[in-house]
Amino acid sequence: MMFKYICILLAVIASEVIAKSMFPMPRLPNSCSQTSVRRDIISLPQDELLRFIRVVREMHRRGWMDGFGSMHDHISHQIHGNEQFFAWHRRFLRHFEILMQEIDPGVMLPYWNWGTYWQSPVADPVLTGAYFGGNGRPGDNCVVEGAQARWGRNYPTRNCLTRRFRYGATTGAFWPMRAVRDVMNTAKTHAQFRSRIENGAHGIVHLGLGGDFETMYAPVDVLFFMHHAMIDKIWAEWQSRDPLRYRNVDGYDSQRIPVTANSLMPFYSEEVGTALATNGPGYCYVYDDIPAAPSGAMFRTSRRANFAAFKAAVNNTSEQQAPEAVADADDTTDVPAGNEFHVKHAFNDTIDFRPPSPMSTEWLRGRHMDVAEAARMQALVNNVVAQINTERRQQRAAAAAAAAARAV
């Protein structure tokens, strides 16, 4: 038995060494010369959107997307289903963003607000040829439209970038922001909040898009980073409600060792506490509608980060064809978060909204997720969607009564 554990440990160490050799590992800045703003991808002016697209295409050309996919895949069990989830992914996004800024210093990572089109995600411009493409084509599931059209990947095997929507032509519903905010209002500890978001709103998007997006090497797809920027934004909003949340974490890691602000994040070997504030040293960003963490509330690290810079070693991704120029989106207006009455969808207003379908036990276990928590979150989102439908019916009845009164 001991030999088995030693072999597993050696395999993990070897995988980290391999992943670190695949793409650059820049240092986090020691301080922030300025604090930048991450915004909704839909709100970006066309010139900023095109700059972002040019940068991620260049990252793909250099092989960095394969490196991110490999890194995330190799340590997936350490960063999912436990309290490393939020902090580690915040650090991972910042790694991606720093490499973006090595190509174009003025570019920021945007977030994808999937709550805007939660009821009918296929209507979301982000999942069209105007942005990052939608479903893979029949037969091979290759993405053939948008900014990632005909992208290839070398990890874990040589293939095209794929998506395979959960129900063939559709993803199924995602979570409405009202359900997300119900979790924000009821979760009192980091462990509670992480578990409820990871096993609910987070997982359903990965399952809905399918293909590469529902694997542990999902970071080969740029949408992964925009989806997780939305998850990071949700965490940042929850943190903003209590200054203590910028200093404290609780719960356990993958080995059932208690996680504290001084625990080290896998791969990066930096303290979890260094990632607790988006505007803290090295992170240097805020979200467009969330207040920055007060400087007095931030965690203070007790040790310097232990880094070595690595040069990129993978330059030969199997890019099959450059995408066509990205067209203007048909509709770039936004909907205030949580405004489910005016949510954008493709259904008749007289038809009730549908909640997302449950994630299967097999799917959840294959991704280090909590089956029991997912069931609780399914009940929560079902209840929220039922409330929304009741209110919409009441609203329609009131409008009909008013119209009848005017007709008299």
Side-chain angles (χ1 to χ4, degrees):
M1 185 64 70
M2 181 62 68
F3 178 74
K4 177 182 176 181
Y5 288 132
I6 292 173
C7 289
I8 292 172
L9 177 61
L10 291 175
V12 169
I13 294 171
S15 68
E16 293 198 11
V17 171
I18 291 169
K20 286 182 177 178
S21 70
M22 292 186 72
F23 64 127
M25 282 287 296
R27 288 178 178 271
L28 279 179
N30 291 324
S31 61
C32 300
S33 58
Q34 63 178 18
T35 299
S36 301
V37 179
R38 287 185 182 172
R39 291 178 287 164
D40 189 336
I41 182 75
I42 293 294
S43 73
L44 296 184
Q46 187 71 359
D47 62 328
E48 291 186 29
L49 173 63
L50 291 175
R51 285 175 66 185
F52 174 64
I53 289 170
R54 280 194 290 269
V55 166
V56 295
R57 285 177 176 168
E58 176 60 19
M59 294 175 75
H60 173 255
R61 188 193 68 79
R62 297 182 185 187
W64 294 351
M65 303 306 296
D66 287 334
F68 280 111
S70 171
M71 173 183 174
H72 187 271
D73 188 30
H74 278 115
I75 60 172
S76 62
H77 65 290
Q78 298 179 65
I79 56 175
H80 296 92
N82 65 77
E83 303 325 309
Q84 289 282 355
F85 176 78
F86 275 138
W88 191 90
H89 281 86
R90 178 171 285 175
R91 178 63 179 90
F92 192 56
L93 297 188
R94 186 61 180 135
H95 185 171
F96 182 83
E97 191 170 58
I98 290 172
L99 291 190
M100 284 174 48
Q101 292 165 348
E102 288 188 2
I103 298 169
D104 183 342
V107 171
M108 289 291 294
L109 174 64
Y111 62 88
W112 170 31
N113 185 357
W114 32 255
T116 304
Y117 291 83
W118 69 272
Q119 181 62 190
S120 182
V122 294
D124 193 328
V126 174
L127 297 180
T128 69
Y131 283 80
F132 286 88
N135 205 5
R137 69 185 170 196
D140 59 11
N141 301 313
C142 295
V143 175
V144 293
E145 62 176 354
Q148 299 181 102
R150 298 177 175 83
W151 269 24
R153 58 164 169 75
N154 281 331
Y155 185 86
T157 59
R158 189 177 178 90
N159 194 16
C160 60
L161 178 69
T162 68
R163 297 195 197 118
R164 185 181 181 184
F165 285 177
R166 185 180 185 184
Y167 298 110
T170 66
T171 62
F174 295 158
W175 270 43
M177 285 306 296
R178 184 186 296 191
V180 172
R181 291 204 164 87
D182 266 18
V183 173
M184 289 186 187
N185 293 336
T186 56
K188 302 305 180 184
T189 69
H190 179 277
Q192 288 176 346
F193 188 67
R194 188 279 310 165
S195 183
R196 295 172 189 181
I197 293 298
E198 183 181 6
N199 292 288
H202 158 261
I204 202 69
V205 176
H206 281 286
L207 175 59
L209 295 189
D212 291 340
F213 210 81
E214 63 173 331
T215 71
M216 285 301 176
Y217 54 86
V220 297
D221 189 331
V222 174
L223 272 181
F224 171 94
F225 294 93
M226 291 186 284
H227 167 43
H228 270 271
M230 180 65 178
I231 297 299
D232 185 63
K233 179 179 184 290
I234 289 168
W235 181 33
E237 181 173 340
W238 180 78
Q239 289 179 294
S240 72
R241 299 180 178 199
D242 183 347
L244 291 178
R245 294 171 181 171
Y246 295 117
R247 290 173 178 260
N248 300 329
V249 292
D250 60 285
Y252 298 89
D253 67 12
S254 60
Q255 298 178 24
R256 299 299 297 169
I257 297 172
V259 173
T260 70
N262 297 109
S263 301
L264 297 183
M265 291 182 280
F267 192 90
Y268 294 109
S269 297
E270 298 166 19
E271 289 167 301
V272 165
T274 62
L276 294 182
T278 66
N279 58 316
Y283 288 83
C284 312
Y285 69 90
V286 294
Y287 287 100
D288 48 8
D289 59 356
I290 299 174
S295 59
M298 292 183 194
F299 170 81
R300 303 298 177 186
T301 183
S302 62
R303 62 170 69 90
R304 293 290 298 270
N306 217 351
F307 274 114
F310 290 85
K311 293 185 177 180
V314 178
N315 301 314
N316 58 342
T317 52
S318 52
E319 184 167 10
Q320 299 162 6
Q321 181 178 327
E324 299 296 324
V326 177
D328 287 322
D330 293 330
D331 185 0
T332 58
T333 56
D334 197 10
V335 175
N339 189 351
E340 270 70 37
F341 287 126
H342 300 95
V343 68
K344 296 184 179 180
H345 57 88
F347 295 94
N348 188 305
D349 280 341
T350 63
I351 299 175
D352 280 352
F353 290 153
R354 295 180 180 180
S357 298
M359 296 175 280
S360 73
T361 297
E362 180 183 8
W363 191 89
L364 290 163
R365 287 178 175 165
R367 286 148 189 85
H368 318 292
M369 295 170 72
D370 186 327
V371 174
E373 185 74 278
R376 288 189 288 269
M377 291 303 96
Q378 185 66 47
L380 181 150
V381 73
N382 288 348
N383 184 56
V384 169
V385 174
Q387 291 172 0
I388 293 170
N389 285 329
T390 296
E391 292 167 14
R392 291 174 72 238
R393 291 189 209 107
Q394 293 171 347
Q395 203 176 56
R396 288 196 300 268
R406 288 193 299 269
V408 173

